Amino acid sequence: MSMTSVTITIPSHLVPGGLPTPDYKEFGFHGFERSFIHSSKNKTVTLAFFAPAPHCNEDHFDKELEKYFWYFSKGTPFTMKKEFDDQPPEHHQCKYLNNKLIQESLF
């Protein structure tokens, strides 16, 4: 099972100082794109990782994500969509709390 892409969506008001650009190569990807969505109800930041390196795997990605979350307010909720080459995408509601990345599967 190989990851093909990961999309993370964060409410932008919960990261008031903004987010530094992640070192996407450290996450195991060759491509990265950040986008901002402004609607009448929400403002979100989307981080999209694509074009995985041969060594990319889910465990490594999650460890790098935990390191990156030091830039967030602790407990900031976000959603994450992980796509794989041989199974349906996984959707998670996540937050970084008590020095752990907590992922709850969304169905």
Side-chain angles (χ1 to χ4, degrees):
M1 167 173 68
S2 296
M3 292 176 60
T4 58
S5 67
V6 178
T7 305
I8 299 170
T9 304
I10 309 142
S12 60
H13 71 280
L14 295 175
V15 284
L19 292 171
T21 300
D23 184 349
Y24 52 90
K25 291 182 181 180
E26 288 292 321
F27 280 82
F29 286 88
H30 293 297
F32 172 77
E33 184 176 285
R34 178 194 328 237
S35 60
F36 300 93
I37 301 168
H38 301 279
S39 70
S40 59
K41 291 184 179 183
N42 297 316
K43 293 180 182 177
T44 60
V45 177
T46 299
L47 308 175
F49 298 85
F50 55 91
H55 68 277
C56 181
N57 66 50
E58 189 173 11
D59 288 336
H60 176 79
F61 182 88
D62 288 347
K63 287 177 184 172
E64 289 301 317
L65 188 60
E66 283 192 37
K67 291 179 196 176
Y68 184 70
F69 268 86
W70 284 104
Y71 294 107
F72 286 66
S73 298
K74 301 307 177 231
T76 299
F78 64 97
T79 59
M80 180 167 45
K81 177 183 173 186
K82 294 179 180 176
E83 295 190 52
F84 301 89
D85 61 357
D86 61 350
Q87 71 181 42
E90 294 179 3
H91 298 265
H92 300 273
Q93 176 68 39
C94 310
K95 60 185 165 188
Y96 187 75
L97 196 59
N98 297 326
N99 297 323
K100 288 182 73 172
L101 179 63
I102 299 167
Q103 299 184 50
E104 298 170 354
S105 184
L106 298 174
F107 296 99

